[in-house]
């Protein structure tokens, strides 16, 4: 064996061998040598081919590799201590093999961007100040008001910090300017240190511990979780919207935090983190960390590192927070467990709920899955006794569930948005000084631009979809790739000047509402209107103030918000969900409708919901009118069982895409044949393999996309054949022109 670097050193220092996983689509780790011992979970810098990569040390090689190949030494050890614990490494090992994802990429999806590079942890250190002994007794001249105020503030804040130090950022938030600090430093009344961000935590100074008295169902839920502390136990908390699930979470957190332990609370959307953290923060005198993608890189990295070092801590985060390091983790809570945002559908594919359950099992702790409309997977797990099933059956404030009205919209003209009766209801609500929510699951002005003469439609040149009209940017945008183009004045096909928008998006609804209700603020909340950091929060504050207004938005508005003065929700254009090919579309639609309905009339005011649909007699609306999710679930599960669909059969999609038309299709066709031959040879009745078929959008960003769906009632059999498929796929190099991925438990097939 030859070691490339430092040959002489080798004679005096014994070599250690490690397996290193890098952030590349590679299904193997590589062995590197080091003259120093390194802890597992540390970042290192290594050479791979011609490039230099940051990798994570994932295992120790038990023995030196065979002598017939060359081993490289590790270039640099970046972290003196691990940034990933053994527990997280085990979770990632499990996840990468369960989901057939490359280990390195899998691990790196959970590492904040800042730490994906070779940045030293020292670069995250923060400036912090403390009062010197001289400062404690200093008498400042009466004109130095700013300085004495600053001293007093530092003194107060120091008592809430875990050390005597107060971070500069905290002081800035309290309006203490750098200049004032400089003057205090000069007088030696304070001193400055550079500390790791995790050495500094603060808890709220004022909390209101007089929380509500829980009702019987709520306190049963809390005590069930507490009873199971230190035991792996999955518990479903099915509670109608407004039934006080959040109050249950809060009480569970309080219990564990009082014991010096940590709780991880996962939510589907960034938008939900501020309101949840605000609510918990006013009740719990402990530090709290929120983790999501809307944070600056450095800030996110600091917070991510901090979770490891604080006891009595709640972490609130979106799906990737499942793998943050919490040594004293006592309980995991997944709010809105049915939400598909917990599944990452692009790049590395995983479901945060499955990882959460695995983590609870590894750690022997309880996990609580909360929802008003649980996924059929979770309901079945509860039905079959794998999860305990708890219910909250009524709204906690005693408020009634909203009144529901289904409006027939089939007679509206192409340019009419609201039925007369809907307009009337909106007007009445505003007159009563209350707020309205209009939900439409489509951003932009209109989903299509069409020529009125020849019916030409503006399509994306890279995808098989129509371009969306965006008036705000005056462009036609593809919602599936980066493509944008100006709106043409004339039809490119027949040169006619008569081009018109077809259908509605949030922008168009907004402008309609401005015309009809000019005296009230119309607030739009979608991906386009919330691009700037902090804009979501601003919208939330406006609604909380209670001013009568209309909130128009996509999915973003439907979840979790608690605006007490919002009493009317209007749902537009949900018909697609009634007839979509995806077998989960009805489940998702009903979940979504119940969510939207749950936004209205949460306080003492009676709520109202209007659904506009061209199919008012559709059976789904019967369940909706009665808010009968369990009834729907029962029917739907019977149907799925008959058809051999999830959750009764487990599925995986094998997806392949190529830049060249036909290439992916042909290769996938061969795999289909190979798998079918294997199944045939082994006489396995337990596995179903679909034909090779095009993806829902066949061409996307110039990639031609196909898939095979493999399913089996036995998870073991499914994985056995996925292993065979994976072996086969590994022989097909993933190139710049051809890609494949195995998608276990897909949500879109
Ligand atoms: P969910 O999370 O199920 O939607 P929340 O926890 O947000 O429900 O509770 C809905 C409303 O009911 C909130 O305004 C909350 O303050 C109130 N609430 C919750 N629990 C109780 C209780 N035990 N007594 C009185 N009000 C309650
Ligand atoms: Zn035309
Ligand atoms: Zn496109």
């Amino acid at each position: 064996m030859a070691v490339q670097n430092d040959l002489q050193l080798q004679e005096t220092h014994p070599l250690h061998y490690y397996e290193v996983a890098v952030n590349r689509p590679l299904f193997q780790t590589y062995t590197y040598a080091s003259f120093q011992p390194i802890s597992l979970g540390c970042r290192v810098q290594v050479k791979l081919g011609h490039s230099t990569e940051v990798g994570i040390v994932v295992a120790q090689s038990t023995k030196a590799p065979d002598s017939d190949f060359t081993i490289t030494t590790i270039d640099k050890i970046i972290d003196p201590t691990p940034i990933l614990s053994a527990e997280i490494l085990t979770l990632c090992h499990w996840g990468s093999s369960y989901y057939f994802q490359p280990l390195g990429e899998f691990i790196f999806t959970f590492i904040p961007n800042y730490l994906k590079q070779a940045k030293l942890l020292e670069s995250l250190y923060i400036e912090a100040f403390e009062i010197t002994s001289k400062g404690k007794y200093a008498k400042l001249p009466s004109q130095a008001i700013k300085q004495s105020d600053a001293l007093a503030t530092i003194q107060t804040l120091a008592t809430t910090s875990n050390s005597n130090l107060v971070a500069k950022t905290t002081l800035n938030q309290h309006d203490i300017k750098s200049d004032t600090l400089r003057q205090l430093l000069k007088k030696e009344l304070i001193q400055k240190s550079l500390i790791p961000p995790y050495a500094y935590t603060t808890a709220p100074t004022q909390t209101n511990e007089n929380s509500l008295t829980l009702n019987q169902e709520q306190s049963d839920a809390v005590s069930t979780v507490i009873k199971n502390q230190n035991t792996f136990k999955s518990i479903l908390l099915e509670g109608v919207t407004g039934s006080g699930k959040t109050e249950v979470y809060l009480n569970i957190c309080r219990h564990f935090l009082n014991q010096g332990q940590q709780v991880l609370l996962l939510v589907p959307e960034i938008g939900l983190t501020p309101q949840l953290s605000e609510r918990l923060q006013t009740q719990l005198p402990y530090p709290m960390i929120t983790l999501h993608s809307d944070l600056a890189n450095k800030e996110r990295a600091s917070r991510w590192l901090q979770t490891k070092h604080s006891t009595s801590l709640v972490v609130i985060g979106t799906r990737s927070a499942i793998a943050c390091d919490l040594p004293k983790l006592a309980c995991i809570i997944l709010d809105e467990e049915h939400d598909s945002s917990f599944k990452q559908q692009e790049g590395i594919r995983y479901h945060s709920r499955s990882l959460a359950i695995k983590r609870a099992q590894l750690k022997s702790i309880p996990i609580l899955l909360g929802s008003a409309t649980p996924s059929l997977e979770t309901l079945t797990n509860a039905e079959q006794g794998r999860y305990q099933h708890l219910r909250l059956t009524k709204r906690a404030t005693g408020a009634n569930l909203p009144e529901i009205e289904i409006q027939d919209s089939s007679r509206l003209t192409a340019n009419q948005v609201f039925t007369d009766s809907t307009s009337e209801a909106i007007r009445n609500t505003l007159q009563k000084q209350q707020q309205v929510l209009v939900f439409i699951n489509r951003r932009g002005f209109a989903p299509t631009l069409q020529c009125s003469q020849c019916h030409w439609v503006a399509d994306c040149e890279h995808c098989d979809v129509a371009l969306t009209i965006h008036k705000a940017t005056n462009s036609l945008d593809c919602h599936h790739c980066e493509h944008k183009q100006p709106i043409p004045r004339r039809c490119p096909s027949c040169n006619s000047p008569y081009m018109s928008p077809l259908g509605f998006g949030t922008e168009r609804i907004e402008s309609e509402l401005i015309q009809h209700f000019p005296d009230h603020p119309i607030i739009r909340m979608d991906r386009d209107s919330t691009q700037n950091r902090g804009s979501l929060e601003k919208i939330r504050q406006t609604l909380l103030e209670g001013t009568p207004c209309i909130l128009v938005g996509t999915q973003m508005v439907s979840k979790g918000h608690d605006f007490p003065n919002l009493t009317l929700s209007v749902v537009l254009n949900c018909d697609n969900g009634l007839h979509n090919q995806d077998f989960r579309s009805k489940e998702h639609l009903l979940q979504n409708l119940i969510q939207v309905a749950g936004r209205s009339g949460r306080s003492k005011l009676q709520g109202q919901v209007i659904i506009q649909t061209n199919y008012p007699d559709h059976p789904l609306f019967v369940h909706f009118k009665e808010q009968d999710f369990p009834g729907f679930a029962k029917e739907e599960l019977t149907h799925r069982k008959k058809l051999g669909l999830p959750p009764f059969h487990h599925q995986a999609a094998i997806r392949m895409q190529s830049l060249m038309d036909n290439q992916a299709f042909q290769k996938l066709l061969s795999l289909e044949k190979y798998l079918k031959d294997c199944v045939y040879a082994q006489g396995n009745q337990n596995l179903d393999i679909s034909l090779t078929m095009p993806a829902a959008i066949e061409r996307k960003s110039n990639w031609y996309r196909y898939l095979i769906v493999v399913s089996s009632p036995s998870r073991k059999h499914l994985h056995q054949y996925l292993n065979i498929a994976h072996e086969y796929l590994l022989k097909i190099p993933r190139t710049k022109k051809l890609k494949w991925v195995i998608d276990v438990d897909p949500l879109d097939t």
Side-chain angles (χ1 to χ4, degrees), residues 96 130 141 168 293 341-342 470-471 504 573 642 674 685:
S96 90
E130 69 187 308
K168 188 171 177 193
S293 55
S341 310
F342 284 120
H470 283 256
K471 279 270 170 79
F504 294 89
N573 197 33
K642 220 183 290 166
Y674 176 76
Q685 310 285 312

Side-chain angles (χ1 to χ4, degrees), residues 16 463 576 725 732:
H16 306 268
C463 310
N576 183 31
I732 303 175

Side-chain angles (χ1 to χ4, degrees), residues 266-526:
L266 295 176
V267 293
E269 296 266 327
I270 311 171
L272 299 182
T273 52
Q275 68 193 22
L276 205 57
S277 62
E278 219 167 76
R279 189 150 155 202
L280 264 55
Q281 199 73 107
T282 55
Q283 300 274 323
L284 303 170
Y286 295 105
M288 177 170 308
I289 290 175
T290 54
L291 279 176
H292 51 77
S293 55
D294 195 28
L295 296 168
N297 278 351
K298 258 184 143 169
E299 176 63 21
R300 188 166 182 199
S302 300
R303 292 189 188 187
W304 186 82
L305 289 167
Q306 202 161 353
T307 61
K308 166 160 58 178
H309 296 271
S310 308
T311 50
S312 293
L313 174 77
V314 192
V315 172
I316 302 179
T318 45
R319 66 174 174 246
S320 68
I322 184 54
C324 72
D325 195 355
L326 293 159
K328 289 190 173 278
L329 184 62
C331 176
I332 304 175
I333 301 171
L334 235 101
D335 190 25
E336 314 290 3
E337 71 83 32
H338 64 276
D339 200 296
S340 32
S341 310
F342 284 120
K343 167 97 198 296
Q344 183 149 296
Q345 320 251 38
E346 296 284 328
I348 292 299
R349 289 165 195 255
Y350 69 95
H351 202 303
S352 204
R353 184 180 59 215
S354 303
L355 284 182
I357 288 169
K358 187 65 196 179
R359 187 162 183 189
Q361 187 195 21
L362 288 172
K363 187 105 189 169
S364 293
I365 54 169
I367 170 165
L368 185 70
L369 307 169
S371 174
T373 53
S375 64
L376 300 193
E377 279 76 8
T378 297
L379 274 177
T380 304
N381 276 321
E383 196 103 303
Q384 298 176 346
R386 279 187 290 276
Y387 299 174
Q388 186 165 347
H389 195 164
L390 303 174
R391 293 179 179 86
L392 304 180
T393 50
K394 44 192 178 301
R395 280 194 158 177
T397 52
N400 293 327
L401 283 169
E403 286 163 8
I404 292 170
E405 205 180 310
I406 312 291
Q407 289 262 332
D408 186 351
S409 57
S410 59
R411 258 164 260 139
L412 293 177
T413 65
N415 290 322
Q416 258 178 322
V417 183
F418 299 107
T419 63
D420 291 346
S421 152
T422 306
S423 302
E424 182 72 22
I426 296 179
R427 190 163 305 111
N428 283 341
T429 308
L430 294 171
Q431 248 158 26
K432 282 189 284 183
Q433 304 297 308
Q434 294 164 5
Q435 297 166 331
V436 180
L437 163 69
V438 179
F439 170 74
I440 176 161
N441 203 7
R442 204 179 258 155
R443 63 194 175 88
F445 186 80
T448 313
L449 175 72
Q450 196 187 44
C451 165
S452 313
Q453 304 265 302
C454 76
H455 303 297
W456 171 91
V457 163
D459 283 329
C460 177
E461 53 193 82
H462 310 287
C463 310
D464 293 335
V465 295
L467 293 169
T468 303
I469 308 171
H470 283 256
K471 279 270 170 79
T473 46
N474 209 13
S475 59
L476 293 174
D477 297 8
C478 178
H479 285 186
H480 297 272
C481 74
E482 306 279 287
H483 182 76
K484 274 180 197 304
Q485 67 186 55
I487 301 177
R489 292 257 176 85
R490 286 175 172 274
C491 171
S493 174
C494 74
N495 209 30
S496 150
Y498 303 107
M499 311 277 286
S500 47
L502 210 63
F504 294 89
T506 44
E507 272 185 28
R508 190 166 180 192
I509 304 293
E510 180 190 24
S511 66
E512 288 282 325
L513 287 166
I514 291 173
Q515 273 179 29
H516 285 86
F517 305 98
D519 302 330
H520 289 92
I522 315 290
I523 302 165
R524 179 157 61 89
M525 181 165 164
D526 55 27

Side-chain angles (χ1 to χ4, degrees), residues 212-215 218 240-247 279 396-397 562 602:
L212 303 160
T213 314
L214 299 184
N215 61 37
Q218 286 175 313
V240 298
T241 52
S243 60
K245 294 184 289 297
T246 313
E247 207 57 35
R279 189 150 155 202
T397 52
D562 197 348
R602 292 175 68 82

Side-chain angles (χ1 to χ4, degrees), residues 95-305:
S96 90
S97 74
Y98 178 86
Y99 287 108
F100 291 89
Q101 305 292 316
L103 179 64
E105 283 191 324
F106 197 82
I107 294 175
F108 274 89
T109 9
F110 300 108
I111 295 180
N113 284 341
Y114 188 81
L115 298 171
K116 286 178 183 162
Q117 307 146 22
K119 296 260 175 52
L120 296 181
L121 297 186
E122 277 86 348
S123 62
L124 287 168
Y125 281 22
I126 53 171
E127 282 181 52
F129 298 88
E130 69 187 308
I131 298 194
T132 58
S133 41
K134 188 175 163 194
K136 271 190 198 128
Y137 306 102
K139 288 251 176 314
L140 284 163
S142 57
Q143 66 273 26
I145 301 173
K146 276 193 191 152
Q147 291 175 37
S148 47
D149 280 357
L151 265 188
T153 310
I154 298 173
Q155 201 129 29
T156 320
L157 289 173
T159 60
T160 72
S161 144
N162 58 340
S163 55
N164 280 325
L165 293 157
V166 186
K168 188 171 177 193
T169 44
T170 313
L171 293 172
N172 290 155
Q173 281 159 14
H174 283 80
D175 275 342
I176 298 177
K177 302 262 162 10
S178 306
D179 201 36
T180 316
L181 291 171
R182 236 184 332 266
Q183 283 157 358
L184 290 173
L185 274 174
K186 215 162 114 195
K187 294 181 182 163
E188 294 177 356
L189 302 179
I190 58 172
Q191 64 190 21
K192 182 167 92 173
S193 341
L194 268 182
I195 57 167
Y198 45 80
Y200 175 72
T201 53
T202 53
T205 40
Q206 291 215 316
T207 53
N208 164 19
E209 289 226 43
N210 310 331
S211 59
L212 303 160
T213 314
L214 299 184
N215 61 37
Q216 190 60 44
E217 290 177 331
Q218 286 175 313
S219 58
D220 284 351
V222 176
S223 59
T224 303
V225 172
I226 292 174
K227 210 168 59 204
N228 283 292
Q229 61 183 314
N230 305 319
T231 334
F232 168 50
K233 176 99 185 169
S234 307
I235 302 162
L236 163 63
L237 180 63
E238 181 180 9
V240 298
T241 52
S243 60
K245 294 184 289 297
T246 313
E247 207 57 35
V248 169
Y249 307 156
L250 179 79
N251 280 274
I252 293 169
C253 290
R254 178 176 297 126
H255 170 84
F256 289 115
L257 297 184
N258 283 342
Q259 295 190 347
Q261 292 177 297
Q262 300 172 317
V263 178
L264 175 59
L265 213 168
L266 295 176
V267 293
E269 296 266 327
I270 311 171
L272 299 182
T273 52
Q275 68 193 22
L276 205 57
S277 62
E278 219 167 76
R279 189 150 155 202
L280 264 55
Q281 199 73 107
T282 55
Q283 300 274 323
L284 303 170
Y286 295 105
M288 177 170 308
I289 290 175
T290 54
L291 279 176
H292 51 77
S293 55
D294 195 28
L295 296 168
N297 278 351
K298 258 184 143 169
E299 176 63 21
R300 188 166 182 199
S302 300
R303 292 189 188 187
W304 186 82
L305 289 167

